[in-house]
Amino acid sequence: MEAGGTDRPEDDRDQGGGIRTALTGLTTRGRSFLAAGVAAAVCAYVLGQSDLLRVGLLLGVLPLVCATVLYRTRYRVAGSRRLSPGRVPAGSEARVHLRVDNVSRLPTGLLMLQDRVPYVLGPRPRFVLDRVEPGGRREVSYRVRSDLRGRYPLGPLQLRLTDPFGLCELTRSFSTYDTLTVTPRVEALPPVRLSGEAKGYGEGRQRSLALAGDDDVIPRGYRYGDDLRRVHWRSTARYGELMVRREEQPQRARCTVLLDTRGGAFEGAGPDSAFEWAVSGAASVLTHMLERGFSVRLLTDTGDWVPGEGADGFAGASQGSADAAGLMMDSLAVIDHSDGTGLSLAYDVLRGGNEGLLVAFFGDLDEEQAAVVARMRQRSGGAVAFVLDPDSWARDPVGAPGPSGRNEERLRMLRVAGWTAVHVPRGASLEELWRLADRERTGLATASGGEGAAR
C-alpha cells in the first residue's frame, strides 16, 4: 500500500495451518459457543437426552462452520493510503486518507480496517465498513500528530474479517507501508543584517571581482569548450599549459549553519531539551536564509554537511530552495547525538575560507573547544554563535537570563575572537535572540567604524 497507489492483502491461506488457522480466529463468543456445545453433547450422552444432543451439536458446529466459511472467503480488495502532507513540523497534524476498493464481483461482508501507527503518533485507528458493493469503494481518514521529530512508518494496513454472528475474526495484512517525516519546529525570523560586513547582507547577493568591471586576472586551466578569446597568454607561457581567464559570473551569498551534536555537550531529552532547541534553531535559520536567497549548507561537528551536491557542499543556484530546504529538514528530522568529543572536524571543513556568514549552535564548550571555535571566526565573513549552557538549562527556570560563570567566560572568549556570541537561556525565543544578535553585531560594527575614524 503506497501513497496514491494500491495494494492487496496477503492471503493467509497460503501460509499453511488449514483449519488450525481458522480456529485461532475464534472470538470469545465463538469459543464459548464451542465449549457450550461440547458440554451439552457430553451431558446428553450421560443423561441419554437426544434433544440436548441436538442443541449441543448446533452450538458446537455453528462456530466451526463460521470459521470455515470465513477462512475460505475470497475477498478481492485493494487499498491505498495518502498522506497530507508527507512532511510536517513537530507539533502539527497530518491527515492520513485510506481507501478500500472492492475489485471482485461479489459484495463483501462486515470489514474492520485498522492501520498500524507508532504510539507517539496517537492511538491505532480502527474503522468498521459494513458492506462494500462490487466495484465500490470506501474512504476514511484519521489524524496523526507528534511532538517529537523523526521518521515514522505507517502501516501495514490490516483488514479484519468477521462473520455476521461475531463468532470468528480473521486478520489479513497488506504488504507495504508509508513514512511520515516530522521535522523540527521552524520559527519565523525577522530580516536583519548579520553579515560579516556592514553592507550587503540585505541584498542577499554578492559578486565576484570580475563583475566589478575588470576581468578576474587569476587564471585557471583550459577546459574543453572554453572560448579561445579568453586565453591568458602570459600565464600560459609561465605555466607551460593553456590557461584562460575566469568567466564573469555572479556568486550567491553563502551561509553555513553549524550544529553541535556532541552527546556530552547537551543534557536532558524530550521536546523541551536544549538539544531539541538547537536543532529547531538550526532549522529556522536554514529556512530563513534560503528564503533570503542565500546558498546554504548544514554542517555538524562530525564534518558532514547537507546538501552535498557541489564540491563545497552548498545548495547551488541550480537547486531550488524548496528542494534544498526539504533535504536539510529531512536530515534534521533524524539527526541525533554524535559520539565525537571535539569540533576539530568542523574546523577542518571551514579551513577553505570564503564561507560567508557562519551561524552556529553550540552546547557546552570547554576551554579547548572554545579555542577551536574562536579560530573558526577567521574562516568566515561574519560569525554568530548561540551558546546553550547545559547547567543553566538543567538548573534555572524558564526565562532565567543569566549564564553561569563558566559559560560567561566562554562567551567572552568568542567575542574577543570576533564572534557575535549570544547566551541562550532555557525556553528562550529564537526570534528575540536573533534581534539581539543583530543589535550586538550592529554595535560592534559601529564601534569598529568609530575606532577607524579616530585613527
Side-chain angles (χ1 to χ4, degrees), residues 241-295:
E241 59 177 323
L242 200 59
M243 307 291 290
V244 297
R245 295 187 298 272
R246 295 186 180 180
E247 297 178 354
E248 303 175 0
Q249 58 182 1
Q251 181 179 355
R252 303 177 80 194
R254 290 179 171 181
C255 176
T256 298
V257 178
L258 173 59
L259 177 60
D260 184 6
T261 63
R262 295 172 298 146
F266 299 91
E267 294 182 1
D272 296 327
S273 63
F275 181 68
E276 292 302 322
W277 192 98
V279 174
S280 177
S284 302
V285 173
L286 289 169
T287 303
H288 176 72
M289 288 303 180
L290 285 172
E291 292 175 351
R292 297 291 307 279
F294 276 67
S295 292

Side-chain angles (χ1 to χ4, degrees), residues 79-107:
S80 64
R81 180 191 293 108
R82 179 171 57 88
L83 304 181
S84 178
R87 181 191 296 122
V88 295
S92 300
E93 290 185 346
R95 183 168 289 275
V96 183
H97 301 269
L98 303 177
R99 192 181 75 181
V100 175
D101 296 271
N102 183 11
V103 297
S104 67
R105 298 180 180 180
L106 299 175

Side-chain angles (χ1 to χ4, degrees), residues 287-341:
T287 303
H288 176 72
M289 288 303 180
L290 285 172
E291 292 175 351
R292 297 291 307 279
F294 276 67
S295 292
V296 182
R297 73 172 170 184
L298 171 65
L299 179 65
T300 67
D301 57 287
T302 61
D304 298 328
W305 63 60
V306 178
E309 293 197 359
D312 53 6
F314 285 90
S318 61
Q319 184 175 7
S321 296
D323 295 338
L327 180 61
M328 287 184 280
M329 287 300 171
D330 289 344
S331 300
L332 288 175
V334 296
I335 199 168
D336 201 355
H337 292 293
S338 67
D339 297 330
T341 59

